[in-house]
Amino acid sequence: MMSAWGVMHSMSADRSGLAGRTITADTRRRVWSFARPYRRWIVGFVATTVASTFLGLLPPLVIREIFDSAIAEGDGGYLNQLFVVLLATAAGEALLSLLGRRLSSGIGEGLIFDLRRQLFDHVQRMPVAFFTRTQTGTLVSRLNNDVIGAQGAFTGTLGTVVSNVITLAGTLIAMLVLEWRLTLLAVAILPLFVLPARRVGRGLQAITREGMNLNASMNNTMTERFNVAGALLVKLFGRHDDEAADFGDRARRVRDIGIRSAMYSRVFLIALTLVGAVGTAIVYWLGGHLAIDGALSAGTLVALGLYTVRIYVPLTSLSNARVDVMSAFVSFERVFEVLDTPNPITDRPGARDLRQPAGRVEFRGVRFAYPSAESTPESLEVAPASATDGAEAVEVLSGVDLQVEAGQMVAVVGPSGSGKTTLVSLVPRLYDVTEGAVLLDGADARDLTQASLRAAIGTVTQDPHLFHDTVASNLRYARPGAADTLLIEACRAARIHDVIAALPDGYHTVVGERGYRLSGGEKQRLAIARMLLKDPAVVILDEATSHLDTENEALVQEALTEALRGRTSLVVAHRLSTIVDADVIVVLDGGVITESGTHDELRLAGGLYAELYDGLLRAETAQRTEP
Ligand SMILES: Nc1ncnc2c1ncn2[C@@H]1O[C@H](COP(=O)(O)OP(=O)(O)OP(=O)(O)O)[C@@H](O)[C@H]1O
Ligand SMILES: [Mg+2]
């Protein structure tokens, strides 16, 4: 009954959307290209299976000899020999089974390994737009479930189809040679089982799929509520009871489907056991009558009985083989779908390195609209194509011209949502311009290699991210292998060293979402230190919109002065002290630069800047006098 589980499992595999599917020759070729490196292993596996099947045919024949020759003729010496053969066969089967498993797991796990690495590498190189549109959970499931499903194409089909065909053929031939009428009879009762089994299998499959969905929804609830931000939200709104009730509902559904699934599985197993027992009984009954009449020896009858058990499992499994193979191929297609998602931001052929950048940045007639859905596979989208998707994408920047000389500091100001973050994200090519060009040292950013472009630019985002790792590791992300003294130097310059030194484990304190929580200002200074370690020619700084307290503000200001010295900098500024320091201030409004000049020039002009400035001044004085 060992492989009954295999049969059951394969029958319950998720086969959504299989109806009417065909496998294209192209997919087949690609699947084969993944299997190619393992072709020696595959040959070895098939050979092992064949050998193991033939070895498995032996014991019933030996037992027949024991009855018909050794016992019938009272030959003790022959019996001893047969005993040794039985032991040797068992040992040989054990060894072959071990070898076969080693080969099949080597193929299967190797395939998972190859697919996962390719997927991970492809996905991590995708542009930001891909990640803003993709559901992380769905993507991770592609890397987990579908990769495993695709592996089933090999271990599953190879393991079940190939070995079942061989086992079945070998056993049937042996049975037919022994007594063909009984064999046909044993096969004839099979539809009695196969037909209901297929029905139960389909039911089980639907239940399994539903169970997986219910489980996923329960898990999603947990991950959303148990991350720091979610847990905080639940607490602040005091919704614990509602959350518990909602979770209880989901968990209850998982429980109920678990019971149904267990019952279906058991019915399936019982039916398989029953048909084996019935088949064997029939063989012994009719065969017994033949033996009484002297048409069949007792040994042959026992051998037939033993063989009969071995044909039902492979036959049932083969009756589902087509679906198994199809579902494995569908998994492959889903993996290919991700691998085939084109990456719109790649190095152009012949792209050159940006060597020893001076740090001149220029925006020339830049127009930009956020990319629409076309670059993401539909099945990975957060929401299916919405009404706005077909429509013309809204232009965020509509004709920006700006020249930043090497070593200059330009402050970008403007109302919230005016496109400041968007503008600066075009420099390191997080997005490509829709029209116009961004130039570095006079070269179009798209003509430079991404590696050299990003090496020249250091960015501190509005909400800097830290990995769940030590402070030191987070800093070394900018410069792997940097000596401790370098880290400390950078942190001193960024005015964050004292804070880190006072942490429980100093530079070895784990930070990130789940580690030690740094304040907003501290996090931004740590991000500045990380940027300093990179030592870029161009600095892009997107200041946090939230107001810092006065002390933090002064520290950030000092950190900034240090960070920006001798570098070209593009600062999205929200704080007066930063703005006033800038060489040039540009005001972004409605996707275009409406004003530009020094602080004094713009104040006198009395435009949007003067208005913004007065607002900021009022806000900051109010904040200062409040406590
Ligand atoms: N990934 C995105 N996809 C589509 N639209 C976006 C995306 N990110 C931003 N936008 C839109 O682009 C516009 C400009 O956003 P941006 O983040 O550049 O504003 P901002 O000037 O930095 O604002 P703030 O001062 O509040 O940070 C907004 O209308 C915003 O909704
Ligand atoms: Mg912004």
Side-chain angles (χ1 to χ4, degrees):
M1 212 67 348
M2 174 198 77
S3 53
W5 282 109
V7 174
M8 214 183 68
H9 178 79
S10 62
M11 290 191 81
S12 62
D14 184 357
R15 278 150 200 171
S16 46
L18 275 184
R21 288 292 286 259
T22 51
I23 305 159
T24 63
D26 190 44
T27 308
R28 247 178 312 202
R29 257 196 305 278
R30 280 184 78 178
V31 170
W32 175 238
S33 76
F34 275 94
R36 263 186 87 81
Y38 301 99
R39 57 192 184 283
R40 289 226 184 96
W41 289 58
I42 294 173
V43 171
F45 175 75
V46 172
T48 316
T49 311
V50 172
S52 158
T53 303
F54 280 103
L55 218 50
L57 290 178
L58 219 51
L61 295 178
V62 175
I63 290 164
R64 174 177 175 240
E65 277 298 283
I66 291 178
F67 277 93
D68 290 355
S69 299
I71 296 178
E73 288 157 26
D75 187 345
Y78 188 38
L79 184 61
N80 293 346
Q81 286 175 8
L82 291 174
F83 168 67
V84 174
V85 173
L86 276 183
L87 288 188
T89 314
E93 273 196 284
L95 280 181
L96 282 175
S97 148
L98 215 56
L99 178 65
R101 191 70 192 108
R102 176 68 189 86
L103 289 169
S104 72
S105 63
I107 300 166
E109 297 299 321
L111 199 81
I112 291 185
F113 173 73
D114 297 342
L115 281 174
R116 276 213 180 118
R117 269 197 326 180
Q118 279 202 25
L119 270 177
F120 183 88
D121 194 51
H122 181 73
V123 167
Q124 68 160 344
R125 284 174 204 281
M126 291 305 281
V128 187
F130 176 85
F131 295 97
T132 55
R133 303 197 67 101
T134 306
Q135 246 178 328
T136 317
T138 318
L139 198 57
V140 171
S141 125
R142 284 290 157 101
L143 267 89
N144 280 329
N145 303 344
D146 284 306
V147 163
I148 291 170
Q151 171 241 19
F154 287 98
T155 40
T157 51
L158 216 64
T160 57
V161 178
V162 175
S163 76
N164 282 328
V165 165
I166 296 171
T167 310
L168 196 61
T171 313
L172 278 179
I173 290 171
M175 286 178 75
L176 285 169
V177 170
L178 286 177
E179 170 48 63
W180 64 273
R181 285 162 303 180
L182 274 183
T183 309
L184 292 186
L185 205 71
V187 174
I189 68 155
L190 209 83
L192 278 183
F193 170 70
V194 168
L195 297 179
R198 291 183 77 135
R199 166 163 280 172
V200 175
R202 267 198 294 274
L204 190 56
Q205 176 191 326
I207 289 178
T208 309
R209 190 156 53 228
E210 198 186 329
M212 278 161 73
N213 289 341
L214 289 174
N215 247 308
S217 110
M218 184 179 77
N219 290 341
N220 271 337
T221 312
M222 284 194 268
T223 41
E224 259 217 301
R225 301 306 187 267
F226 289 170
N227 67 41
V228 178
L232 206 62
L233 200 63
V234 174
K235 225 173 271 303
L236 290 177
F237 282 88
R239 297 284 302 265
H240 295 107
D241 292 341
D242 305 306
E243 290 290 342
D246 181 59
F247 180 77
D249 275 347
R250 286 171 209 271
R252 192 169 304 119
R253 262 174 269 156
V254 171
R255 176 194 68 189
D256 294 345
I257 199 111
I259 294 173
R260 265 169 69 203
S261 156
M263 289 320 290
Y264 261 80
S265 317
R266 185 43 61 92
V267 167
F268 187 86
L269 271 182
I270 289 173
L272 194 60
T273 318
L274 267 183
V275 80
V278 170
T280 316
I282 290 177
V283 166
Y284 277 118
W285 172 54
L286 290 177
H289 279 296
L290 286 177
I292 291 173
D293 297 343
L296 198 68
S297 73
T300 309
L301 179 56
V302 173
L304 274 174
L306 290 172
Y307 281 142
T308 310
V309 190
R310 296 171 57 103
I311 59 172
Y312 293 118
V313 169
L315 267 177
T316 324
S317 159
L318 283 176
S319 71
N320 286 294
R322 205 191 84 87
V323 188
D324 282 344
V325 176
M326 289 296 271
S327 59
F329 271 95
V330 167
S331 284
F332 253 111
E333 282 178 350
R334 284 159 63 88
V335 169
F336 289 156
E337 190 187 22
V338 179
L339 281 179
D340 290 347
T341 313
N343 187 342
I345 302 189
T346 46
D347 284 353
R348 154 182 303 185
R352 62 178 185 81
D353 282 337
L354 177 66
R355 275 187 229 281
Q356 305 194 322
R360 246 181 323 121
V361 179
E362 188 187 343
F363 293 83
R364 196 178 282 170
V366 168
R367 305 178 84 92
F368 178 77
Y370 276 97
S372 59
E374 96 272 330
S375 55
T376 337
E378 203 182 306
S379 54
L380 286 178
E381 288 271 326
V382 176
S386 64
T388 54
D389 271 358
E392 190 70 5
V394 184
E395 210 173 50
V396 178
L397 301 173
S398 17
V400 172
D401 287 286
L402 173 64
Q403 194 136 4
V404 188
E405 294 306 329
Q408 232 183 8
M409 174 192 170
V410 171
V412 182
V413 299
S416 177
S418 61
K420 305 179 294 293
T421 301
T422 308
L423 181 76
V424 296
S425 71
L426 297 178
V427 184
R429 274 188 90 190
L430 295 185
Y431 297 92
D432 267 343
V433 295
T434 314
E435 246 177 77
V438 176
L439 300 99
L440 261 108
D441 287 356
D444 192 320
R446 287 164 296 187
D447 291 333
L448 301 169
T449 57
Q450 291 179 83
S452 69
L453 176 72
R454 294 196 182 130
I457 301 166
T459 308
V460 177
T461 52
Q462 241 171 327
D463 180 21
H465 184 71
L466 298 171
F467 285 121
H468 178 80
D469 209 337
T470 61
V471 172
S473 305
N474 269 293
L475 287 167
R476 286 204 178 94
Y477 204 71
R479 182 184 282 222
D484 287 350
T485 49
L486 267 180
L487 302 189
I488 294 173
E489 196 184 309
C491 287
R492 282 222 157 91
R495 305 292 183 270
I496 186 70
H497 172 73
D498 293 342
V499 175
I500 298 171
L503 290 179
D505 294 316
Y507 280 80
H508 298 295
T509 310
V510 173
V511 289
E513 198 202 359
R514 270 156 228 285
Y516 189 90
R517 307 273 290 177
L518 296 167
S519 79
E522 289 163 350
K523 219 157 120 184
Q524 192 140 38
R525 276 179 284 152
L526 192 60
I528 292 174
R530 179 168 62 182
M531 188 269 289
L532 283 175
L533 276 168
K534 194 177 175 189
D535 192 21
V538 179
V539 170
I540 289 171
L541 195 125
D542 203 345
E543 278 189 340
T545 351
S546 55
H547 290 286
L548 304 164
D549 59 71
T550 344
E551 193 183 337
N552 241 326
E553 155 111 34
L555 286 172
V556 169
Q557 194 50 42
E558 284 178 40
L560 271 188
T561 319
E562 189 98 20
L564 306 183
R565 188 176 300 141
R567 304 175 208 271
T568 310
S569 52
L570 209 54
V571 181
V572 177
H574 296 287
R575 294 170 315 113
L576 280 179
S577 43
T578 322
I579 301 173
V580 176
D581 271 358
D583 297 314
V584 181
I585 300 163
V586 297
V587 180
L588 198 63
D589 189 21
V592 289
I593 292 177
T594 49
E595 291 162 52
S596 84
T598 62
H599 169 69
D600 294 330
E601 289 166 9
L602 291 184
R603 269 208 72 191
L604 287 177
L608 182 58
Y609 177 78
E611 219 174 280
L612 283 169
Y613 176 77
D614 289 341
L616 275 177
L617 196 61
R618 261 197 308 279
E620 291 196 9
T621 2
Q623 201 193 16
R624 256 168 218 158
T625 49
E626 225 163 60

